[in-house]
Amino acid sequence: DPEMARLCDVGRTQLKILKQCIVASFADSRFNATELKELGYAKIGILPLLDLTELPEKFPKRRTLKPVRRGVKLIFVGRIAPHKNQALLINIFFYLKPMLPKHSRLILVGTGDRVYLDYLKLLSRQLGLQSSVVFTGHVTDQDKERMFSAATAFLCTSLHEGFCVPLVEAMKHGLPVFAIPT
């Protein structure tokens, strides 16, 4: 998204200017801390927006990956964008599909980049997955809760996650979470 890239550049320029009057700096992830370091900030603390130290006790017992009668439902929730890497999810599903029950689905929840969405739909069609990969578009919070409850596992191949709230939501629902380190 050229406009988002422009705004990020503006933000980085502003951060360089602000560096002169900063007493302490904090980032919400190692990724953002690295970016601050590259801009000349020193002694960067990482202060996650979510305190995950107490969450496991509040989460339900983790579900297993046992296939359900109507097939496995793998879910990803997030913006449709190249850095969220949904193309890799579709490719992973293509290779898993022969090992999964017949009616298994990959459910991609979210809206975003129209061109990338068209590419993902074309990729699904070329891999013969058009009836197995579901693009929901925007959903209500109630529908999202229902989808998490019905899912078998949460997959995340995002190249960068800021807050990654959907991953925490998946854990809240007791879903096994498969993610690549970001």
Side-chain angles (χ1 to χ4, degrees), residues 103-120:
H103 298 291
S104 295
R105 301 280 181 265
L106 171 63
I107 302 163
L108 302 175
V109 180
T111 61
D113 184 329
R114 244 354 257 172
V115 174
Y116 189 59
L117 177 62
D118 289 344
Y119 164 72
L120 295 173

Side-chain angles (χ1 to χ4, degrees), residues 88-156:
L88 180 56
L89 287 174
I90 292 169
N91 280 296
I92 289 169
F93 188 70
F94 172 75
Y95 287 103
L96 285 176
K97 186 94 166 86
M99 297 175 260
L100 297 174
K102 184 178 179 181
H103 298 291
S104 295
R105 301 280 181 265
L106 171 63
I107 302 163
L108 302 175
V109 180
T111 61
D113 184 329
R114 244 354 257 172
V115 174
Y116 189 59
L117 177 62
D118 289 344
Y119 164 72
L120 295 173
K121 288 180 178 180
L122 177 63
L123 177 62
S124 297
R125 207 168 32 255
Q126 287 180 329
L127 294 175
L129 300 173
Q130 62 271 23
S131 63
S132 301
V133 177
V134 179
F135 298 92
T136 68
H138 176 77
V139 297
T140 65
D141 286 341
Q142 188 176 24
D143 285 340
K144 185 172 64 169
E145 287 292 315
R146 186 180 46 77
M147 289 177 190
F148 272 124
S149 294
T152 308
F154 181 83
L155 304 180
C156 181

Side-chain angles (χ1 to χ4, degrees), residues 34 74 110 156:
T34 301
L74 305 175
C156 181

Side-chain angles (χ1 to χ4, degrees), residues 57-72:
E57 298 167 7
K58 298 177 183 178
F59 288 158
K61 186 178 177 188
R62 188 177 66 168
R63 292 190 248 158
T64 64
L65 278 176
K66 292 178 188 170
V68 292
R69 285 173 60 185
R70 293 192 177 108
V72 168

Side-chain angles (χ1 to χ4, degrees), residues 1-55:
D1 183 350
E3 179 59 14
M4 290 303 270
R6 186 188 72 75
L7 292 172
C8 286
D9 288 339
V10 169
R12 287 184 188 98
T13 301
Q14 292 170 339
L15 283 169
K16 286 178 189 175
I17 295 166
L18 288 172
K19 178 181 67 171
Q20 301 165 15
C21 59
I22 295 297
V23 177
S25 57
F26 295 92
D28 67 338
S29 69
R30 284 189 311 236
F31 179 89
N32 290 343
T34 301
E35 197 163 20
L36 285 173
K37 194 175 219 171
E38 289 170 359
L39 293 171
Y41 285 75
K43 296 183 181 178
I44 303 154
I46 297 179
L47 190 64
L49 294 176
L50 297 170
D51 179 7
L52 298 177
T53 58
E54 297 181 25
L55 290 177

